[in-house]
Amino acid sequence: MKTLPFLVFILICGCKPTSYFLSPNQVSRMKGVLFFRNDEKIAGEINISFEEDFNTDFDTKPIVKFIRDGKKEVENISLNDIAGYAIGSDFFALKKIDVYSNNIHRLLFVKRLTNPNSKIQLYELYESGRGNATGETNYSYHLSLPTSGFMETINSRSNSLMPFFDQKMSEIVSDCPSLSKKIRTREKGYFIPLVTLDIKKHPEVLLKIINEYNNCK
């Protein structure tokens, strides 16, 4: 019987830690590229564990654990130095996010849904349920406007856009009169109601508006 604990120890030691991508803010041992604010980018292994802090009033883990390709040492990278990271073709930007539209902002990684050169940027925050109050998955969408600071975003459900989406969004794109009119008159495909059961309504409408705004002459 004395050999049993030893065998368990051997089995545990022989198992490599698993890699997974639970959400943009809950990542373990995933190969990717870390983008720094000084325009440097480095390939390596990314580890992030922010989701369990979604219900707190403060950020408790202001670092990303990173192992550069070809190295073994774990580096604690400050969020002050990070612009985002990429895994495959997906880019996750580090932004100040008001998760629940309650004026509590935290630094989180959000998936960029728009072209890097888009005038208005749209980001998706996916929550796996690990850190929120209900344990359910959740999506929210966040915009960076031409007048926004580097880290600044607005939640598409916040009072910056809701209610009266037609009035507020048409004003944002007022330098494109034809598009602004479509939004203001609630033309089909250019309006988001205050209450909708379709979770994809926000990105569908916003991407349509953003793409047209980018091509406005």
Side-chain angles (χ1 to χ4, degrees), residues 137-150:
T137 60
N138 188 45
Y139 291 87
S140 60
Y141 296 90
H142 306 263
L143 292 163
S144 285
L145 306 179
T147 55
S148 299
F150 178 71

Side-chain angles (χ1 to χ4, degrees), residues 52-98:
E52 59 263 36
D53 298 328
F54 278 12
N55 284 320
T56 65
D57 292 338
F58 53 86
D59 292 315
T60 58
K61 295 184 176 65
I63 59 168
V64 166
K65 292 186 178 294
F66 186 67
I67 304 175
R68 301 174 187 238
D69 279 355
K71 302 290 184 179
K72 294 182 179 180
E73 300 81 10
V74 177
E75 297 180 53
N76 293 328
I77 309 294
S78 169
L79 295 188
N80 294 327
D81 299 324
I82 296 174
Y85 70 91
I87 294 178
S89 60
D90 292 328
F91 181 77
F92 303 92
L94 182 67
K95 297 292 177 181
K96 287 183 179 179
I97 301 296
D98 185 355

Side-chain angles (χ1 to χ4, degrees), residues 24-135:
N25 293 286
Q26 201 66 39
V27 180
S28 176
R29 302 181 66 87
M30 289 294 294
K31 292 289 187 180
V33 178
L34 198 61
F35 288 73
F36 292 82
R37 295 192 197 183
N38 64 2
D39 294 330
E40 184 181 13
K41 54 184 179 179
I42 302 174
E45 184 180 281
I46 298 168
N47 296 271
I48 305 167
S49 55
F50 294 168
E51 266 212 51
E52 59 263 36
D53 298 328
F54 278 12
N55 284 320
T56 65
D57 292 338
F58 53 86
D59 292 315
T60 58
K61 295 184 176 65
I63 59 168
V64 166
K65 292 186 178 294
F66 186 67
I67 304 175
R68 301 174 187 238
D69 279 355
K71 302 290 184 179
K72 294 182 179 180
E73 300 81 10
V74 177
E75 297 180 53
N76 293 328
I77 309 294
S78 169
L79 295 188
N80 294 327
D81 299 324
I82 296 174
Y85 70 91
I87 294 178
S89 60
D90 292 328
F91 181 77
F92 303 92
L94 182 67
K95 297 292 177 181
K96 287 183 179 179
I97 301 296
D98 185 355
V99 180
Y100 304 117
S101 296
N102 58 1
N103 290 318
I104 297 175
H105 292 79
R106 64 195 70 232
L107 289 174
L108 293 171
F109 291 100
V110 283
K111 183 179 179 179
R112 187 176 63 201
L113 302 181
T114 39
N115 186 287
N117 299 318
S118 179
K119 296 176 186 177
I120 298 175
Q121 293 288 351
L122 180 62
Y123 302 99
E124 177 186 81
L125 174 65
Y126 168 68
E127 301 172 55
S128 71
R130 179 167 181 164
N132 60 35
T134 63

